[in-house]
Amino acid sequence: MTDSTPTPSSLVIEGASEDVEKTPHPVQDNTRSPSDTEETALRVTDGTVYLKGLQLHSVTVAVALAIFLTNLEIPIVTTALISITNDLQGFNNVNWIITSYLLGYVGVVILWAKFSDHFGRKLSILASLAIFTVFSAACGGSQTMTQLIVFRAFQGLGGGGNFALGTIFLVELVPPEKYPLYTTIMSVILSMSLLLGPILGGVISEHSTWRWIFFLNIPAGSLAIVLAFLFIPLNFPYQGQPAYENRRWRTLFSKAEFKNIDFLGAGLLLIATLFLVSAIQEGGVDYAWKSGFEISFLIIAGIGWISFLLWERKITLFSKTTEPVFPWRLIKSRVWMGMIGNAFFLGGPWFVTVFQLPQRFQVVNDVSPLQAGIRLVPFTLACPLGSIISAVAAGKYKVPPIYMVIFASVMQIIGFSLISTLPTTAHTRAAEYGYQIIAGFGVGINISLLIMMTPFCVEARDKSVALGSVTQFRIMGGLIGLAVVSAVSRNTVSSDLKRFLTEDQIKLILQSTGSINLFTPSLQQEIRNVFANGYNLQFKILLGFSAAQIPSSLLMWQKKQILL
């Protein structure tokens, strides 16, 4: 089944495939819109029918819950990591609590998007919500670190679907001229999750058990499932179109539909992603970079990526039935590859900051999880604020997004340069919060703009895959960035601690940073100084990720810039 609706783009993207359909950009209709009582859906000139009234609002709430819960999992867990690892005894594996979730997440985002083209948006988001909710309960009931890490990976599978499909829903629920409005809604959702996450994680860790961090997803996830089941049309987003009116549940799993699915491409993408991220995560930690484990994983990842690209090229150019997971025509587009590069290098600054700053506050500044969450608020508030302001500027005032994308990268460079100079003492300067705002504002601008620009850069049939790709490569960049900075910092910290601690003492600290308080005050300060230098080094590395966004943005440059 191929999406035949016209692309909203009014531009011919330089470097894109030649068969991009050239249709005029939708013009805002200033005539009176029908009221909710007059009709339940709005039909526009290209044949698309958009939901209205209670149905639209209910689906929006379901999608908002899916995005909110998925993104809440990132900051709410980070502020509780110390409590979790102290309970389960495994600070040395602390990053796997995050990484396992994101590994499950990053490996399937594009696949969820593509499979939803085949099996329908409704069935796909119901499945992703169910997986996320069930394994959230399993995470809350974990008794060992290994159990938690495994269940987090499966929770991430559902989370990846929630975010990928939620993003697709937001641009299919409304006409293109309302994209900025709905992107603003998504930014508000992100702001709430990023703002509440650290605080909720801190409150729960201090006043209850960390297990409620996961149990909270059960009632909210169940509500989203009920709303999605009741109000999303089975043939969404093609409701009201004659070609899709006879679609039924059984037709979603027909033999003809399965013939269209690129199972080999999906498998190659999953293998290539997981082996690459796993190799980088484990490098220099449990396995030396020259070890057989690392070399074999990197070789498999390299072969996987090369095979994936070659296979997708073959399917795109020569297959008349199978639809590629990642169409080759996207790779041929200079503009689109610039967006993918920008998304990839954006992931590191975003994820490292959200994951590592709360740890820094607890380890270096010796504050509680709640206080750590509160201290992260300037960054988590600045991110969505940047997203909202950039969405308004691009949508209402028609500022070309490319200008703001480059400006945001410069802001990130400035912000992370300043954060990397934080004092190594327990004392906190007020200026630190200003540094977070600068960096967060830059990150937030690019988070929203890349999503908003996507439907205007690709053919309509590639819209879902393109939106999934932006998310997948951003998360992949975040995972790789987190693995790189953690490996470098861990090696630096371990090496510096050897100057005045024994191997057993270092092992004790790496199992639980709460054991730092067992040492004398003078040793405590020295240990915290070492960790502070390690965290500062991490943010210096982020400068490279921020700077790399600029050449990626320049690939998106055109004589006639995209306007939303």
Side-chain angles (χ1 to χ4, degrees), residues 428-445:
T428 302
R429 297 181 303 182
E432 295 179 21
Y433 304 121
Y435 302 162
Q436 288 188 51
I437 291 173
I438 296 172
F441 196 77
V443 169
I445 289 175

Side-chain angles (χ1 to χ4, degrees), residues 341-342 344-350 353 405-417 439 442-443 446 538-553:
N342 203 305
F344 178 86
F345 290 114
L346 175 64
W350 185 25
T353 305
V405 167
I406 295 175
F407 170 72
S409 302
V410 174
M411 289 198 70
Q412 291 176 48
I413 293 173
I414 296 172
F416 290 118
S417 296
V443 169
N446 282 357
Q538 292 184 11
F539 287 99
K540 290 176 182 177
I541 295 173
L542 292 188
L543 293 176
F545 281 82
S546 301
Q549 294 174 43
I550 295 178
S552 297
S553 300

Side-chain angles (χ1 to χ4, degrees), residues 109-110 113 164 167-168 454 463-473:
V109 174
I110 292 179
T167 303
I168 295 169
T454 295
K463 182 172 60 177
S464 60
V465 172
L467 287 166
S469 299
V470 170
T471 301
Q472 177 147 343
F473 279 92

Side-chain angles (χ1 to χ4, degrees), residues 190-402:
L190 286 171
S191 71
M192 294 300 294
S193 63
L194 292 175
L195 184 62
L196 294 177
I199 297 174
L200 284 175
V203 170
I204 292 172
S205 297
E206 285 190 33
H207 301 288
S208 182
T209 171
W210 56 266
R211 300 179 187 279
W212 276 104
I213 287 173
F214 301 107
F215 290 151
L216 285 176
N217 292 326
I218 299 174
S222 300
L223 175 60
I225 291 173
V226 171
L227 291 175
F229 180 79
L230 293 177
F231 292 101
I232 297 177
L234 178 60
N235 53 359
F236 181 89
Y238 310 113
Q239 61 277 353
Q241 298 186 26
Y244 299 93
E245 285 181 353
N246 296 322
R247 201 178 197 196
R248 297 293 183 269
W249 286 103
R250 64 178 180 273
T251 64
L252 298 177
F253 299 97
S254 65
K255 185 180 294 185
E257 194 66 58
F258 275 95
K259 287 182 178 179
N260 291 333
I261 300 175
D262 180 14
F263 286 110
L264 179 57
L268 288 172
L269 175 61
L270 188 61
I271 290 171
T273 302
L274 295 184
F275 274 83
L276 175 61
V277 176
S278 296
I280 294 176
Q281 177 67 27
E282 288 296 300
V285 184
D286 292 330
Y287 300 93
W289 284 104
K290 295 181 180 180
S291 68
F293 175 91
E294 284 296 313
I295 293 174
S296 61
F297 266 50
L298 289 173
I299 289 175
I300 293 172
I303 294 174
W305 280 110
I306 294 172
S307 301
F308 171 70
L309 292 175
L310 292 177
W311 176 253
E312 293 306 292
R313 182 179 186 276
K314 179 181 178 180
I315 291 296
T316 303
L317 298 180
F318 302 109
S319 178
K320 296 185 181 298
T321 56
T322 304
E323 297 180 14
V325 170
F326 193 81
W328 186 255
R329 53 186 169 270
L330 292 180
I331 300 174
K332 290 169 60 179
S333 169
R334 172 178 59 81
V335 173
W336 178 244
M337 292 310 295
M339 292 185 66
I340 289 296
N342 203 305
F344 178 86
F345 290 114
L346 175 64
W350 185 25
F351 277 71
V352 170
T353 305
V354 173
F355 294 153
Q356 300 298 78
L357 263 186
Q359 291 184 46
R360 187 189 199 282
F361 293 142
Q362 293 178 70
V363 175
V364 177
N365 302 105
D366 194 25
V367 301
S368 67
L370 175 58
Q371 290 174 318
I374 293 173
R375 291 186 181 204
L376 187 64
V377 165
F379 182 84
T380 57
L381 192 59
C383 274
L385 184 61
S387 295
I388 293 171
I389 291 176
S390 60
V392 172
K396 184 175 181 179
Y397 298 103
K398 301 303 176 185
V399 178
I402 185 64

